[in-house]
Each structure stands twice: as C-alpha cells, then as structure tokens.
Amino acid sequence: MSPEEWTYLVVLLISIPIGFLFKKAGPGLKRWGAAAVGLGLTLFTCGPHTLHSLITILGTWALIQAQPCSCHALALAWTFSYLLFFRALSLLGLPTPTPFTNAVQLLLTLKLVSLASEVQDLHLAQRKEMASGFSKGPTLGLLPDVPSLMETLSYSYCYVGIMTGPFFRYRTYLDWLEQPFPEAVPSLRPLLRRAWPAPLFGLLFLLSSHVFPLEAVREDAFYARPLPARLFYMIPVFFAFRMRFYVAWIAAECGCIAAGFGAYPVAAKARAGGGPTLQCPPPSSPEKAASLEYDFETIRNIDCYSTDFCVRVRDGMRYWNMTVQWWLAQYIYKSAPARSYVLRSAWTMLLSAYWHGLHPGYYLSFLTIPLCLAAEGCLESALRWRLSPGGQQAWDWVHWFLKMRAYDYMCMGFVLLSMGDTLRYWSSIYFCIHFVALACLGLGLALGGGSPSRRKTAPQAAGLAPEKLREE
C-alpha cells in the first residue's frame, strides 16, 4: 500500500469512533463539530490547496443567491469548469494539488451541484405555491429554506464521506442534524454486519496486488508472455481493484452508520444517494422511535455480491459506487441531449470520465461501456426470449462471464491511465472485448433485436438472473 492509501485508511477508521461521539449530539454540535473535523482533515491532508474547495463553495453559493431558479445548470457549469482549471494547474506553472485535494474536490463537486438542484426545486415549488394561492404540506425531499453561507460551508466540509464518499444530499444532511431521538437508531449491530467482510477483502487485495502487480503490465517483458497469460492478467488486476474499493467503501459506510447518518425507517424505502422515496412521519416518542426498523440504504455505496454476480453490464454499474451512480442518473443522464438509452449512457459516461480526471485511460474505458450496453441489449432482445427456461439460465451464465471479462478489460484503462499503456495492453490481446461486443451487436441487429416489444420482454426475464445465481 502506498502512503496515500494508508492515509485514506486512517481517515476512514477514525471516522468510526468520531461517528459514535456525534450520534447523540444536538443539531448545533453535529453541524459545527462535524464541519470542524472535516475542515481539520482537509487542512491536514491538503494544506494550502484547501483554497480550491473554498473557492468552489463560494462560487456556487454566489450563483445560488444570484439565480436561485436556474442555479442547477449554472452550478454544474461552474464546478465542472473549475475541475478543468484544477487539473491544469501544473500546465499553468502553479503548484500541483495533492491526491487528497483531488478527492475532496471530486466529492465537493457532486455535493454542490446537488445542493443547487435542491435550492432550485425549492424555488420552483414556492413559485407554484404562490401561483396556486394555497399552501401545501411538506413535500418529500424538499428543503425548508435556502441554506446560508455558513450552512453551505458546514455541509461542504462535513467529515462524513469528505474524501471517499458516500455522496449525500443536503436534505440527507439536514435530516441527520434534526434526527428525532437519535439514541433509538441502532448503530453497533448494523455496523458489525456491514464491516465483517472488510478484513477478508483487505487480505485478498494485499495478496492479489502482490502476486499480480499492475506495474508488470508496463514492462516490456510482460508482452513476451503467451497470449493466454496476457488475457488472464486483467482478471486479477480487476479483482485487486474491486477488493480495494470494497474495503474503502465499506469502511466509509461504517463511519456513517456509527453516526446514525443516513438512517431512515425501512418503510421510507430509501434509495442510495437519493434518500427516502415515501413520506414517513417522524416518531413522536423515544418508544415509538425504538420500535421502528431502520436501514442505511441512503448511504450504501457498494453491493459487493451484486457487483460480482449480477448478469448484465447495465446492472453492474448500478451496484458499484451506488450514491455516485444515483447522482449521475439524476443530474446527467436525465438531462442528456439525446433520447436513446445508449446515447444518453454515452453522454453520462463521457462526463463521468471527465469528473474522474483528464487521463486518456478514463475515456477509453468509460466510452467502451455504451458499446457493451448496446451489444448486450440488442442481442438479449433478439435471442434470450426464444430460449427455454434451461436455455435462459445457460444464457445468463454466459452473459455473466462476458460481463465480468468486459469489466476486467475496461479496468485496465482505468488503472493504466495513459493512452499508450492502455492501447498497448488492449492491442496485445487484440482488442478482444471491442470485437466481441461489435459481433454481438451485429448478430443482434441481424436477428431483429432492438424492437420495442422484444426490449420490453428481455429485461424482465434478465432481471430474474441475479436471483437464479443467488439460488445456485
């Protein structure tokens, strides 16, 4: 592990006992104490580069104050433009930010765009209320008021997920501050249930990254190996990649659980990133609060089992970095300048690659996803529905195998980063996933795949596949 990875791990681990301290605190102590801890961590790891996050916050707040009814698009343009400046600092002869500064900036961008969207929704709701002439009751997910500058700073620097996620909305943050009877929300048992696989994943990461180091792929000697060996190597590289993030995101979730952050009654049917989808009245007494069943779906960032064993490429994206996937779906995919699912996905993946950074490997990897989505959707709608139940189950296993190999292949671009290294590796295995995807797309089109009726039938059948795999 690198020094930076050790620092991330320490920050994640210390957030757990800190969470228990804040859980039963009052709203004021939660707000300013959590912000003080987060700002302290930022200053310690980022030093003077903390100025970048402050500039981004002040710019977004100014846009919200100036144009509250259109601040979402303005905040998106501002924060993403600042990311370009932030990534180009070395080219401009300015000091290069630390990796921790980059991590803070990434999560802050998501939070500020979401905050602007929430404020815009509030103003639009107030306009409708004034036009209709009568006042409605509280609306699910709507803010009670526009946050002040200090409230925006406290949300931005809250220590929860400040470097690793999970992403959370301002509404989720506000619900944590105003949580009724927080002592009734269970923390220890949910934390232990969530944390138990993390040590195993950590051990598997250390073992796999030691036996199959990524740096070997950059050496000339690697390309003298036989083709099967080169093909196989991407499997343990992606395995180590998954284990590393499983540990980080589970630890981050545990920090949230310790603080009771993102806890909602199960009846609220909360979604990762978005929060409750059903209105639930707050409990009126400690006894009623203790009788409720809670979950932490709002801050759930990874579904390890489903990531590994879901059948489709499309589903694999949903279970990975779940709160960020919600953000991308809500604020990028829905406003994409296209109606086609594949084209909308391509637009979303392009902006996701930009959000991650300027390394060409990100773009090569992310922009391979739409091709895979088009191929699996077209071929599935053309063939799967024709098969017997046994044939469909066999199809799902083959589909799962190809899905995992596609992610192995795309991961190489994500970790190698440079265009030269990525294309050198992909060419050494003859761009196999690209050609397989193109072949599947061509076959699906030739068999009439993609018609609305068949597309409607195929996903319903495919949606059963993860449960079939679980039963097996």
Side-chain angles (χ1 to χ4, degrees):
M1 289 176 63
S2 66
E4 289 83 8
E5 287 173 325
W6 281 111
T7 303
Y8 281 122
L9 184 60
V10 169
V11 169
L12 288 169
L13 292 178
I14 65 172
S15 70
I16 296 174
I18 289 173
F20 282 114
L21 294 175
F22 279 121
K23 181 187 173 185
K24 298 179 182 179
L29 181 57
K30 276 183 176 180
R31 181 186 288 278
W32 304 116
V37 171
L39 182 58
L41 289 172
T42 305
L43 288 168
F44 176 73
T45 55
C46 305
H49 298 291
T50 302
L51 184 62
H52 293 294
S53 59
L54 182 60
I55 292 171
T56 310
I57 296 165
L58 294 176
T60 305
W61 184 78
L63 291 172
I64 289 173
Q65 297 301 311
Q67 296 290 334
C69 291
S70 57
C71 57
H72 167 60
L74 293 173
L76 183 65
W78 156 246
T79 54
F80 271 55
S81 298
Y82 196 88
L83 277 180
L84 180 61
F85 167 74
F86 178 78
R87 267 77 181 258
L89 287 172
S90 59
L91 300 176
L92 299 172
L94 297 172
T96 303
T98 66
F100 308 108
T101 313
N102 183 62
V104 170
Q105 198 70 22
L106 289 179
L107 270 299
L108 184 62
T109 297
L110 304 184
K111 291 165 76 172
L112 292 176
V113 171
S114 175
L115 174 62
S117 178
E118 291 180 88
V119 170
Q120 182 172 304
D121 289 344
L122 172 63
H123 273 267
L124 292 176
Q126 289 174 340
R127 278 189 171 187
K128 288 181 180 179
E129 191 174 288
M130 291 176 63
S132 64
F134 63 91
S135 177
K136 296 181 180 180
T139 305
L140 180 66
L142 205 63
L143 299 184
D145 205 351
V146 178
S148 67
L149 175 58
M150 294 304 293
E151 289 168 338
T152 301
L153 287 166
S154 69
Y155 165 62
S156 301
Y157 285 117
C158 177
Y159 79 93
V160 176
I162 195 165
M163 291 184 186
T164 59
F167 155 78
F168 52 88
R169 303 165 66 213
Y170 187 80
R171 177 73 260 183
T172 303
Y173 170 71
L174 209 58
D175 289 344
W176 177 61
L177 298 181
E178 301 170 352
Q179 196 173 58
F181 314 111
E183 66 279 356
V185 177
S187 286
L188 185 58
R189 284 188 178 180
L191 187 151
L192 293 176
R193 281 199 305 268
R194 190 62 180 132
W196 76 263
L200 174 61
F201 293 152
L203 182 62
L204 291 172
F205 160 69
L206 293 173
L207 182 63
S208 56
S209 59
H210 176 73
V211 177
F212 301 98
L214 175 64
E215 288 305 312
V217 184
R218 294 190 171 98
E219 299 171 357
D220 292 338
F222 177 83
Y223 296 95
R225 300 183 186 185
L227 176 61
R230 298 197 302 270
L231 271 170
F232 171 78
Y233 208 87
M234 64 183 183
I235 297 175
V237 167
F238 183 46
F239 179 81
F241 181 84
R242 296 200 310 279
M243 295 303 109
R244 175 171 172 258
F245 277 95
Y246 287 174
V247 171
W249 285 333
I250 287 174
E253 288 181 38
C254 287
C256 295
I257 293 170
F261 196 104
Y264 290 98
V266 171
K269 296 189 181 299
R271 293 181 60 190
T277 58
L278 295 177
Q279 191 80 265
C280 283
S284 57
S285 67
E287 292 75 22
K288 288 186 177 180
S291 68
L292 294 173
E293 184 182 358
Y294 296 87
D295 64 34
F296 290 87
E297 287 298 311
T298 300
I299 52 85
R300 191 178 189 186
N301 217 30
I302 188 68
D303 183 335
C304 303
Y305 179 89
S306 295
T307 296
D308 280 5
F309 292 106
C310 70
V311 172
R312 300 184 296 182
V313 172
R314 179 178 183 173
D315 295 328
M317 293 192 297
R318 289 180 182 155
Y319 299 123
W320 175 269
N321 206 358
M322 294 164 70
T323 58
V324 174
Q325 294 298 333
W326 180 88
W327 187 95
L328 288 169
Q330 189 73 17
Y331 302 121
I332 304 298
Y333 179 85
K334 287 184 178 179
S335 59
R339 298 185 64 183
S340 159
Y341 168 70
V342 172
L343 292 179
R344 281 186 168 197
S345 298
W347 171 253
T348 305
M349 291 301 101
L350 177 63
L351 291 191
S352 180
Y354 174 80
W355 177 75
H356 278 87
L358 300 180
H359 296 289
Y362 293 147
Y363 298 85
L364 292 170
S365 295
F366 278 108
L367 294 178
T368 302
I369 291 176
L371 173 62
C372 295
L373 292 174
E376 74 173 3
C378 189
L379 190 58
E380 184 178 63
S381 64
L383 280 181
R384 191 183 187 278
W385 66 279
R386 303 172 189 262
L387 303 176
S388 66
Q392 289 184 359
Q393 189 171 31
W395 170 283
D396 291 340
W397 279 105
V398 173
H399 194 166
W400 167 81
F401 177 83
L402 291 175
K403 182 260 315 189
M404 292 303 295
R405 302 298 73 79
Y407 278 122
D408 294 337
Y409 182 85
M410 290 183 283
C411 175
M412 296 305 290
F414 199 92
V415 296
L416 289 172
L417 297 178
S418 75
M419 181 178 290
D421 287 338
T422 302
L423 293 180
R424 187 185 188 191
Y425 177 76
W426 282 356
S427 64
S428 79
I429 56 173
Y430 303 102
F431 296 97
C432 57
I433 295 299
H434 283 99
F435 282 114
V436 168
L438 287 170
C440 290
L441 179 60
L443 179 60
L445 291 172
L447 295 173
S451 67
S453 61
R454 289 178 181 175
R455 276 193 179 277
K456 186 176 180 181
T457 304
Q460 290 175 347
L464 301 174
E467 292 302 319
K468 292 180 181 179
L469 289 171
R470 192 183 294 273
E471 290 170 4
E472 289 293 316

